[in-house]
Amino acid sequence: MRKRFLTLILLLFAAVSTYAADFAGVRALAARRVPWLEKSLILQQIAGEKGKEIFELSTSGNKLIIKASTASAAAEGLNWYLKYYCNRSMSHMGDNLSPVSPLPQIAAPVQIFTEMPVRYALNYCTISYTMSFYSWADWQHELDWMALNGVNVMLATVGTEAIWQRTLQRLGYTPEEARAFVAGPGFTAWWLMGNLEGWGGPVSQQMINQQEELQHKILGRMKELGIAPVLQGFYGMIPVNMKEKLHLDKVVPQGKWAGGFQRPDFLLPQDSQYAKIAGIYYDEMKRTYGKDIQYLAGDPFHEGGNAKGLDVTAAAKGIQEAMQEAFPGVTWVLQGWQANPKTALLAGLDKSKVLVQELFGENTANWESRKGYEQTPFIWCTVTNFGEKLGLYGKLQRYADEVYRASTGPYKHLMRGAGIMPEGIHNNPVIYQLVLELPWHQEHVVVKDWITAYVRSRYGSENTHVEEAWQQFVATCYSSFDKYQEGPTESIFTARPTTDTTRPVSTWGTRHRNYDTAAFRQGVAQFLAVGPAMKRSETYQIDAIDFQRQVNSNRGEYLYTQMITAWKNSDAPALHDYANLFLQQMQQQDSLLSTNKHFRLDTWLNSAMAMGSTSAEKKQLKRNAKVQLTYWGPDNPDTDLHEYANKEWGGLMKELYIPRWKLFTDDLFHSKERASHPVNFFQFEKEWTEK
């Protein structure tokens, strides 16, 4: 009898252990974000149907039961329950995750599935514009959000500095010489993409070690949550000084990029030392981050580059062969951006081991015009934001239309999924929730219907006025107009002052509002009218600031135009009036934005300095942060990149933008012809970055 009792206890223990082990990472996520729900959560693994990932939701008493085929599906299932039953959500712009009691009941089991195996996230630029100075706490929030939104493939290039340093040292570089190749944290993205080297550096050894340690934590958490990392591959990029140092004979200079940066060189795979260099790079990657790598990224000739006279097909084939030699079966992820990837580049590849990102899906349909990227597996993605600029923008219905069209059209057999690739992700949370949810919808999503559930999950309750206001936003700032636009409409407040009223703030940006600003303003008024009833909602308070910020920015455009018109007409009284009104509007904007951490300069600068361990590191990191916001680089007054990452932030308005505009308006008061004594704005900005 005793023996049978012990056997029964052991069997029960084994059953409980197995049960507890199911999706342990998802359970830990629930404990971190919704501890009030975790204690009632039952997670069970089930077999998925061929070509499908599935989750099933049901309730039994005070228990929520999630059955899922993968960890990613289980996390998505948890989020589905939070959104559609609890009116709760998580975002980059505030969380709405307060307890719900009693737990909402599900009348009958609900089963949701996707046939899109890839739900992708992050642009190289996101790593620098948003995540340059992320701490582990920031990354934990980021990864939990990714998992809850079903992301199962994510760019993860943190810690690549250590791989490059060790590779170069094995090739004869000193540690200092190797570190000189690495860009500072504010500019890592463009170094990895082969656009520049060393800018923002040199980084310290401590910073390289710190990033490596952080990457170990990131990769460990991603594994727990069922997210496959995309690491940085070796695609021929080498330091400009390597050709002399190693006596390489098949090196192609890549010329200049954007604001005048010297690009790293491109080493042809036909060079006798290519296999050696690639082998060392991948050997260091295996030693540092392990052998279980399913995806590698890296784009030869990104945004131009020099491929003149090259056999691009043979070069790409050599790059892929080196990848496969190091990691058999690995998928090469390529950005579908501008002419990338070139038709010739794809021609010689084993396309079963390639994934092309339709990067700019809100404006392009290269997957269609190029006939499924010449029969290459692809995913549909959207950029939506350039430079982490603030601005309400997103072609919501276009996202839903294009994902549905690509997944049901003639190239659906090549369509592997959808993803988000913003250059900055701390903005417009509605975009990212919608796009990542689309793979789990089989029907064509109509955004004006979908938005109701989004609003309730965003703010935690039903409110007719708020929902009606959001219908106005869908019809205005989030409308799917048919004009080409790169990211949000820019604010004149952040511009280098000029009398040219047609000039955008940044080189590729626009100040034109492609929506009815009066209708938008009415929507904002309706949204703000319920403020007293929503004072305890963090997400409402954040959005209220963002919407009012946009109204102020739109009015600033009008005041600026009137000011310049008065100057052109030599109307001194009107010039003084409108100049003063314009500066007052900027001061009001600064006061508004300074009330919340999501819109403040000090949030960005403090995170930069917190990353450093010494006063020298803190100073360098702070300068990285400030240079990125202003003239960007290089040290050239005519750089194309100035203001590319402009921000309407409290503190930045006060410290930089208002004084800069004051210099300009004072000049207007004293001279009809500004050319007689132009203000040196570049010098003004550079001095600010060095304070």
Side-chain angles (χ1 to χ4, degrees), residues 396-467:
L396 302 185
Q397 190 58 55
R398 160 95 182 182
Y399 307 153
D401 293 349
E402 287 297 283
V403 170
Y404 185 77
R405 199 165 70 87
S407 64
T408 57
Y411 307 108
K412 63 183 179 181
H413 62 291
L414 298 167
M415 168 79 159
R416 296 292 184 266
I420 55 169
M421 298 188 69
E423 288 194 356
I425 201 170
H426 278 204
N427 54 77
N428 298 291
V430 62
I431 294 173
Y432 312 119
Q433 182 165 318
L434 171 63
V435 174
L436 290 173
E437 191 179 302
L438 289 174
W440 299 91
H441 287 268
Q442 307 311 309
E443 72 285 359
H444 186 182
V445 172
V446 178
V447 171
K448 66 183 178 63
D449 299 331
W450 175 89
I451 203 71
T452 300
Y454 169 79
V455 171
R456 293 173 184 176
S457 69
R458 176 76 180 151
Y459 308 121
S461 62
E462 296 182 29
N463 187 296
T464 302
H465 295 291
V466 172
E467 291 171 16

Side-chain angles (χ1 to χ4, degrees), residues 390-395 428 472-483 485 487-491 510-524 546-555 557 648:
L390 272 71
L392 299 178
Y393 167 74
K395 298 182 179 181
N428 298 291
Q472 283 279 60
F473 302 152
V474 169
T476 54
C477 61
Y478 291 121
S479 64
S480 297
F481 55 87
D482 60 4
K483 294 188 174 88
Q485 182 168 319
T489 302
E490 297 176 310
S491 170
T510 180
R511 289 178 19 238
H512 182 69
R513 273 69 173 160
N514 284 302
Y515 60 89
D516 184 336
T517 56
F520 169 73
R521 188 171 64 251
Q522 291 170 0
V524 174
D546 207 8
F547 297 153
Q548 184 62 56
R549 175 205 55 75
Q550 190 66 62
V551 170
N552 294 347
S553 179
N554 292 353
R555 176 163 168 73
E557 189 70 31
E648 279 189 294

